[in-house]
Amino acid sequence: MSTIITEEIVKDIGEAWYTLKVDGTKDPTGCENVSIVLRYVDTSNTVRERLVSMATSKQCDAKSLTQLVLAQLRDIGLNTAKVLSQCYDGASVMSGVHGGMQKIVQEELQREVPYVHCFNHQLHLVVVHAMSSDFTLENFFSVCNSLYKYFKKPTVAAVYTGEKLKRLLEQRWTGHLATVTVILKSFDNIVHLLRGIDSTQTSAAEVRMEATGLLKVITRPSFLFIACMTHQILSLLDPLNTALQANSTDLYTGVRLVQSALACVEKLRCDTQFDTFWEKFSKDRRTTEPAAAAPPQKRPRNMGHLSDYVVDTTVGHRQKRLYFSTLDAVVGEMKARFSVRNSQLVEALCTLHPGSEDFLDANRVRPLLDLTCTEIKEAEFAVAQQFLQDEMAQSNKNWTTQDILTRYCEPLAAMPTVLKTLKLSLTFGASTATCETLTSTLKNVFSEHRRSMLHKRKACLIQIAVEKDLTKKFTGEWKETLLRRFSTASRRLQLF
């Protein structure tokens, strides 16, 4: 079954250019599983991302991984000269500019093959570094982690009625958002339970002592403020993270999504936004916190050196500093990590978007065609530009490159260079999310009761599980092919 699926994928790719996506993960036996996913535009002009191989490697250096991946592609019948770009994570063995896999691939193929650092991995680094840029933030998430561990205790979990707390994940920044979301939703339940444990004598001494310490920390106004602030900021990045995981998201769309998310975060950095946030936070805090006794009034001191100044606010000074410094950290990390490293390539991709002012400008598209050693034909681009602009002017919809390929494939067949360029623009990927979904599939296939299977069987089962739309064909149009292959294999076994 796996062989038939692989053959169909190779046939579907044909002579199309494709993006190479590679990621590795260890199974419970310590074996390094290397997933090879290809992104391409098929004959129906639809973007596909397919798992073509799940290989295993004893050596995890860049040269060994490169040789393994290229050998796998050649073994299944693919032309490695059609590799358009590479998309990996940011590990030095993959991204190294001198000895990383992305560099060795270019040396092996003897031409430029642009490398794209997975946008989802970059977003993870943005959040992790930004959320640890200030000791107060780092301490806050340390307390969140302590809460998670405390509420996992059997005696505590048995009486807790709120939503289950989330664990902070090293590999996924979404753990930060999930943790804060649950704490805000179940804050009253958490406080109520900790107070009950603190005041009762039935619990163990160490459980009561830990409850007292956690209660003291989380009932401080600063804790709830940081929870609300981080939730507001991280919520703006969550749609970006989800969109980048979609197979349909190409590199240019990924760049635009990042720019949009960055603009939304930058808008929060102003006094008006902080005042609105502070007012909402103060209102929510008054409704969730019990009334406390008024503190004793202190006699105001006469500040002579401030006699010429006007004090317009007396609360939120530290919170305001933390609010702005956190936003600065997130914005700074996003600008540094998502900075355009190949401006000419991004400009070429931008030119191929229907909403661009320079749509199908032949001179700007040239860097993209140079990657495939394709001669540019300006006459084709001129005719296609005029034709498509006239067609789009008659419609009020917002056109995408995929829309153009789907609707005007036949007219554009007379302009093959333009058609090829549009397909190339969608072939560039922005994320290795497809590779990472194999981790959960690996856990389901290579379960505790299936540890005796060989790697070949494990790899075949994973491919069958991942490529569900192709696997379904075995009950229909591929049924006869499967039975014929099975009969042939059975006869060979009998002769053997």
Side-chain angles (χ1 to χ4, degrees):
M1 291 171 69
S2 179
T3 301
I4 295 173
I5 289 175
T6 302
E7 290 174 354
E8 179 64 21
I9 294 174
V10 173
K11 180 181 177 182
D12 197 33
I13 295 175
E15 293 300 316
W17 291 80
Y18 55 87
T19 288
L20 176 63
K21 298 185 177 185
V22 178
D23 194 20
T25 183
K26 290 186 180 293
D27 60 27
T29 64
C31 176
E32 182 71 20
N33 298 274
V34 182
S35 56
I36 305 173
V37 172
L38 303 184
R39 177 187 175 92
Y40 63 96
V41 178
D42 64 10
T43 52
S44 64
N45 298 313
T46 304
V47 176
R48 303 286 186 187
E49 290 195 5
R50 298 291 192 186
L51 173 66
V52 296
S53 179
M54 172 71 82
T56 182
S57 176
K58 295 181 179 179
Q59 297 177 325
C60 297
D61 60 285
K63 191 172 184 63
S64 299
L65 286 174
T66 302
Q67 293 174 348
L68 172 68
V69 170
L70 294 181
Q72 289 286 319
L73 295 179
R74 290 167 181 145
D75 288 345
I76 63 177
L78 286 171
N79 184 5
T80 54
K82 291 292 185 176
V83 178
L84 179 66
S85 66
Q86 314 170 70
C87 187
Y88 317 129
D89 60 24
S92 58
V93 71
M94 307 298 287
S95 63
V97 295
H98 298 295
M101 181 175 172
Q102 62 102 357
K103 178 63 176 179
I104 299 176
V105 166
Q106 297 184 69
E107 293 175 350
E108 289 285 335
L109 301 181
Q110 297 181 353
R111 60 182 178 83
E112 181 185 2
V113 183
Y115 159 69
V116 177
H117 185 181
C118 172
F119 278 26
N120 284 108
H121 280 87
Q122 292 190 73
L123 188 60
H124 170 72
L125 295 174
V126 165
V127 174
V128 170
H129 288 197
M131 293 299 110
S132 61
S133 61
D134 190 288
F135 173 75
T136 308
L137 288 172
E138 196 170 0
N139 184 59
F140 167 79
F141 284 107
S142 178
V143 173
C144 292
N145 206 29
S146 298
L147 278 173
Y148 168 77
K149 293 178 180 179
Y150 182 77
F151 278 80
K152 278 195 68 178
K153 295 179 183 291
T155 54
V156 178
V159 294
Y160 176 60
T161 57
E163 191 173 336
K164 184 178 179 181
L165 272 69
K166 306 296 183 181
R167 180 169 61 95
L168 292 177
L169 303 173
E170 295 181 1
Q171 300 84 4
R172 294 287 182 276
W173 72 267
T174 47
H176 293 74
L177 177 59
T179 298
V180 172
T181 302
V182 172
I183 287 176
L184 289 175
K185 284 183 178 180
S186 305
F187 187 74
D188 290 340
N189 300 85
I190 294 172
V191 172
H192 177 74
L193 180 59
L194 291 176
R195 281 185 177 144
I197 295 175
D198 180 37
S199 59
T200 184
Q201 298 297 322
T202 57
S203 302
E206 60 180 26
V207 175
R208 284 187 284 113
M209 290 172 61
E210 194 171 353
T212 303
L214 290 172
L215 181 63
K216 183 178 180 181
V217 174
I218 70 172
T219 51
R220 293 173 181 169
S222 59
F223 181 86
L224 202 56
F225 171 82
I226 296 174
C228 294
M229 178 191 68
T230 52
H231 184 268
Q232 182 186 35
I233 296 173
L234 297 182
S235 295
L236 292 176
L237 302 180
D238 192 46
L240 169 63
N241 181 63
T242 304
L244 289 174
Q245 294 182 34
N247 292 349
S248 59
T249 303
D250 57 277
L251 179 57
Y252 175 66
T253 303
V255 171
R256 293 184 64 193
L257 287 169
V258 170
Q259 293 172 348
S260 299
L262 177 60
C264 291
V265 175
E266 288 180 322
K267 286 180 181 179
L268 295 178
R269 200 195 185 288
C270 66
D271 291 334
T272 304
Q273 288 291 335
F274 175 77
D275 293 340
T276 303
F277 172 75
W278 179 259
E279 183 179 353
K280 183 178 182 301
F281 163 72
S282 301
K283 181 180 178 181
D284 293 342
R285 188 180 65 180
R286 285 194 296 269
T287 57
T288 56
E289 290 185 351
Q297 297 292 327
K298 293 184 179 180
R299 184 177 180 181
R301 294 176 58 189
N302 183 19
M303 300 293 186
H305 63 287
L306 297 178
S307 58
D308 296 332
Y309 294 86
V310 176
V311 179
D312 58 357
T313 180
T314 59
V315 295
H317 293 296
R318 294 181 180 178
Q319 288 82 353
K320 190 172 185 177
R321 180 199 63 79
L322 180 62
Y323 179 85
F324 283 109
S325 65
T326 303
L327 288 173
D328 289 340
V330 173
V331 171
E333 287 285 340
M334 290 188 71
K335 288 183 176 179
R337 297 189 180 278
F338 289 102
S339 59
V340 179
R341 294 176 175 81
N342 192 332
S343 58
Q344 288 186 336
L345 177 59
V346 174
E347 286 180 5
L349 295 176
C350 177
T351 304
L352 294 170
H353 189 271
S356 172
E357 295 180 357
D358 303 316
F359 180 53
L360 290 182
D361 186 323
N363 292 326
R364 292 180 177 272
V365 173
R366 195 180 301 274
L368 182 58
L369 291 176
D370 287 344
L371 295 175
T372 60
C373 300
T374 303
E375 182 182 357
I376 192 166
K377 297 181 179 180
E378 297 184 4
E380 289 187 13
F381 279 88
V383 174
Q385 182 186 56
Q386 188 63 48
F387 169 72
L388 293 175
Q389 285 179 345
D390 292 342
E391 290 293 316
M392 290 187 294
Q394 299 175 11
S395 174
N396 295 325
K397 66 176 291 186
N398 295 322
W399 289 82
T400 64
T401 306
Q402 182 65 68
D403 293 334
I404 291 175
L405 282 174
T406 303
R407 185 166 181 175
Y408 298 108
C409 178
E410 292 185 6
L412 290 176
M415 296 159 269
T417 308
V418 176
L419 185 61
K420 178 180 180 180
T421 309
L422 292 172
K423 290 183 177 181
L424 291 177
S425 68
L426 295 179
T427 304
F428 281 89
S431 169
T432 58
T434 305
C435 297
E436 293 170 13
T437 58
L438 302 179
T439 303
S440 57
T441 307
L442 176 62
K443 291 180 181 178
N444 294 333
V445 170
F446 202 59
S447 63
E448 294 181 0
H449 305 290
R450 294 176 177 171
R451 296 290 168 84
S452 62
M453 72 173 70
L454 297 177
H455 172 76
K456 184 176 181 180
R457 177 175 175 80
K458 176 181 67 178
C460 291
L461 288 174
I462 290 174
Q463 186 183 42
I464 292 170
V466 170
E467 302 298 342
K468 294 183 177 64
D469 60 325
L470 297 180
T471 305
K472 290 179 181 178
K473 294 184 178 182
F474 287 115
T475 60
E477 58 186 287
W478 290 358
K479 187 175 182 179
E480 293 183 2
T481 303
L482 179 62
L483 292 174
R484 187 168 57 254
R485 295 278 186 96
F486 182 75
S487 300
T488 304
S490 298
R491 287 196 298 270
R492 288 177 179 174
L493 282 173
Q494 291 173 359
L495 290 174
F496 178 78

